[in-house]
Amino acid sequence: MTVAASQRPDGRFTREKLDWAMAETAALLGLDHRGARLLRFTNNAVYALARAPVVLRIVGSRALRHRAAKVVEVARYFERQGVPAIRLLPGVEQPIQVGEHVITAWAYVEHIGRRSTGEDLGRLLRRVHALPSLDGVCEWAPLADVRARVADAEELDAGDRRFLLRRCAEVEAALGELEFPLDRALIHGDAHRGNLISGPDGPVLCDFDSACFGPPEWDLTPVAVGRERFGDPAGRHRMLADTYGFDVTTWEGFQVLRAARELKLTTSVLPILRSHPQVRDEFRRRLKDLRAGRTLSPWSRYS
């Protein structure tokens, strides 16, 4: 579904531009955009409409807009397989093109009850990893989006650009040397508690941007890195490992996976640095830690 741009605001990934794209998309769907809430504004802009149970998700990076088609395919596959996950808005051809923006529309899931746990995530990951293969799903390439964001960065000096690309090459070479103990499978690709919604029927998975065919160990890495970098409770990782039946931190390849994850965590905001300045200081801190090889320095989550 496509609509041409009409008097859209100038600039890049600005709030004004996002609001315009959200309003245009809502109108295209015959929905009222007034009162919509911006739920998230980092890799993507996620809006919840106030007058309909609908969420609109606008892809943030120009270089990663191609992933929206994959997201739609994975969402439909999860629905066919009965995997507890967010569902696409029915009856809508997706993804939606509005001017230069690519948007997906979803049925809103109300957050209720307790927060999701490592046990919830472990159960859902076991279910996803046991699915039959999905034809056409891309192969695991964890640093491809890092390179895309470096290329799409709003503000990044030449030295930092060279460092990040060199670091990508180093980590990618190390990844190529790993021998993974678990069988390859369809993986979520960005599996952490923030990508679980505690809905009325239980926890559901969301955010399929990084879904691919690859090593399940990768899906067990974000929670472990969250413990190391963000000070998340150790019990969260322990619960995930116990429920899933594998502790990725005890495997000799974990530090390489951690290095790849930290590159992704650092560069996720690159395409929006100029228009989202409140994350700039945290980005600079993470970059300095990577340059210095500091693995014990605590990080704060981008807001």
Side-chain angles (χ1 to χ4, degrees):
M1 180 180 291
T2 304
V3 63
S6 173
Q7 296 184 358
R8 64 176 178 268
D10 293 329
R12 295 200 69 183
F13 201 52
T14 63
R15 177 62 187 271
E16 181 187 16
K17 201 171 186 181
L18 292 171
D19 287 348
W20 173 86
M22 177 273 297
E24 289 285 314
T25 306
L28 186 66
L29 298 175
L31 302 171
D32 190 339
H33 75 277
R34 290 175 296 176
R37 292 180 295 125
L38 182 61
L39 303 179
R40 184 182 301 178
F41 180 15
T42 50
N43 298 323
N44 303 281
V46 183
Y47 287 87
L49 299 187
R51 300 172 184 240
V54 173
V55 170
L56 300 178
R57 190 170 185 267
I58 305 172
V59 180
S61 170
R62 287 191 177 103
L64 295 173
R65 287 172 183 167
H66 65 279
R67 299 195 306 189
K70 186 264 300 280
V71 167
V72 169
E73 179 105 5
V74 170
R76 289 175 176 156
Y77 183 63
F78 282 169
E79 185 168 12
R80 292 195 302 271
Q81 295 291 332
V83 174
I86 57 172
R87 304 300 187 210
L88 292 163
L89 193 65
V92 177
E93 181 185 344
Q94 302 207 48
I96 304 163
Q97 183 90 33
V98 174
E100 65 177 332
H101 294 283
V102 177
I103 300 101
T104 47
W106 305 84
Y108 177 75
V109 177
E110 183 182 4
H111 296 252
I112 65 170
R114 64 173 177 81
R115 294 196 66 184
S116 56
T117 66
E119 182 179 2
D120 297 325
L121 184 58
R123 276 201 311 270
L124 287 172
L125 289 179
R126 285 181 63 86
R127 188 161 178 177
V128 169
H129 297 166
L131 290 174
S133 60
L134 174 60
D135 291 341
V137 71
C138 58
E139 287 288 321
W140 183 58
L143 300 180
D145 61 342
V146 174
R147 290 192 175 92
R149 289 183 177 117
V150 169
D152 203 26
E154 287 187 345
E155 51 179 55
L156 189 65
D157 66 39
D160 290 338
R161 189 180 302 272
R162 285 193 299 271
F163 166 75
L164 287 169
L165 293 177
R166 184 172 65 250
R167 183 64 178 148
C168 280
E170 293 168 354
V171 174
E172 206 161 57
L175 288 170
E177 297 297 319
L178 295 180
E179 295 184 7
F180 293 93
L182 302 179
D183 292 336
R184 286 161 58 82
L186 176 65
I187 62 174
H188 180 277
D190 190 22
H192 56 85
R193 197 173 66 160
N195 282 334
L196 282 184
I197 301 172
S198 293
D201 298 317
V204 297
L205 286 167
C206 65
D207 190 350
F208 314 133
D209 283 347
S210 300
C212 61
F213 187 74
E217 292 87 346
W218 182 242
D219 272 351
L220 303 174
T221 296
V223 172
V225 174
R227 180 189 67 182
E228 300 297 326
R229 279 299 192 187
F230 301 119
D232 293 345
R236 190 176 300 165
H237 164 70
R238 183 74 267 147
M239 193 178 294
L240 168 63
D242 288 347
T243 303
Y244 189 88
F246 182 80
D247 185 346
V248 71
T249 65
T250 65
W251 172 53
E252 61 184 7
F254 170 67
Q255 291 303 326
V256 180
L257 295 185
R258 175 181 173 174
R261 177 68 181 171
E262 290 184 351
L263 266 172
K264 293 168 73 71
L265 289 171
T266 299
T267 58
S268 62
V269 295
L270 277 179
I272 63 167
L273 273 181
R274 183 174 299 134
S275 49
H276 203 37
Q278 60 266 42
V279 301
R280 189 178 293 128
D281 288 346
E282 178 62 21
F283 166 73
R284 304 307 306 180
R285 177 168 63 166
R286 295 186 190 186
L287 187 58
K288 287 179 181 178
D289 285 344
L290 293 185
R291 279 184 172 278
R294 290 190 289 263
T295 60
L296 299 179
S297 299
W299 291 353
S300 298
R301 285 187 165 87
Y302 291 134
S303 57

